[in-house]
Amino acid sequence: MPRRHQRYQERPSRLGGAVVWTLDVPPGPPARSVLPDGCMDLIWTAGRLVVAGPDTHAFEVDPRNRGSCAAIRFAPGTAPALLGVPAHEVRDHRVDLAALWPRTAVAALTERIARSADPAAALEEFALARSAETGPPDPLTAAVADGLRRGRSVASTAAEVGLGARQLHRRSLAAFGYGPKTLARILRLQRALALVRTGLPYAEAAGAAGCTDQAHLAREMRDLAGTTLGAYFAAGEAEANNDTPHPSGSSTTA
């Protein structure tokens, strides 16, 4: 009997900057590690809602967790206002929403998603309604995320938004889960990986992403992803040959 492989699909959300995704992880080979991306996710899996906090290192998916899940991935800095929890409080953790919100509210939301024919769409509707209640994220931290995503230095980004080093660090902890230097490293690594996926050689991708050279990119890959560029992309090619796309930055449950 042919072995089933994990299936991942995503689409842009109607909520600005967010992505709606689904993942089916059948029994069999272990899932790839999930790399840091500066994002937070709200995940529906096994009848419960889980908040995936921002990661500072590769997250190893528990091989015992198999099945389907649906989620919405929020752009850096946007989830704390929606979920009502500072990002640093859930950094490197997967936490049941019921541990953060009143149980009655979580129970009602859980029932609504369980009744839905499309849990991912139901999560998106929840996020849109919640956003209308809470309002947009802090424009200053949104500007910080945008500057760092475009490759600006932390110093120039801080100057651009008019924040001192301590103020920027404090607001970044609440919005992103870590300081601006860590967010800049994570976003730079993601830029480099995206460029390599287009076929650009490692050295050229490193320079274009803002690394000093290929060796710098290799160190960042080891520090943040716990692997090498060659090993990471070799695993990706094996998955591609099996028609098994995988979320390069999405956060699955623990």
Side-chain angles (χ1 to χ4, degrees), residues 16-250:
V19 172
V20 176
W21 59 269
T22 58
L23 177 65
D24 177 25
V25 185
R32 283 177 73 189
S33 299
V34 178
L35 304 192
D37 60 3
C39 299
M40 291 175 59
D41 298 57
L42 181 61
I43 303 170
W44 166 256
T45 179
R48 63 192 180 111
L49 287 163
V50 176
V51 174
D55 292 323
T56 58
H57 51 75
F59 177 74
E60 300 294 334
V61 179
D62 190 328
R64 295 171 298 180
N65 286 339
R66 300 296 179 182
S68 299
C69 60
I72 182 166
R73 181 167 72 244
F74 302 102
T78 60
L82 288 174
L83 301 179
V85 58
H88 65 84
E89 292 189 5
V90 292
R91 180 179 58 230
D92 292 323
H93 286 88
R94 277 41 178 175
V95 182
D96 278 9
L97 185 62
L100 305 174
W101 280 22
R103 291 188 175 276
T104 52
V106 177
L109 179 58
T110 300
E111 183 178 357
R112 187 193 321 164
I113 295 174
R115 292 199 310 264
S116 172
D118 186 346
L123 279 172
E124 182 180 31
E125 290 297 334
F126 158 74
L128 288 165
R130 180 72 177 171
S131 178
E133 295 174 2
T134 61
D138 181 351
L140 283 178
T141 52
V144 169
D146 182 63
L148 297 179
R149 187 181 297 109
R150 290 185 287 113
R152 299 289 299 274
S153 69
V154 172
S156 64
T157 300
E160 187 175 294
V161 299
L163 291 177
R166 290 186 178 181
Q167 287 179 310
L168 177 59
H169 189 80
R170 182 173 63 252
R171 293 175 84 149
S172 293
L173 284 178
F176 311 123
Y178 24 64
K181 289 185 179 180
T182 298
L183 178 62
R185 292 177 65 201
I186 288 170
L187 295 179
R188 183 176 59 203
L189 177 62
Q190 287 291 341
R191 285 197 304 275
L193 296 179
L195 290 168
V196 172
R197 291 188 191 100
T198 69
L200 207 62
Y202 293 160
E204 294 181 33
C211 295
T212 54
D213 53 25
Q214 183 176 332
H216 182 195
L217 174 57
R219 289 193 299 273
E220 292 290 79
M221 190 70 181
R222 286 194 298 270
D223 289 348
L224 296 171
T227 187
T228 65
L229 288 162
Y232 178 76
F233 283 105
E237 289 171 5
E239 288 177 355
N241 290 336
N242 288 318
D243 190 27
T244 54
H246 188 276
S248 61
S250 302

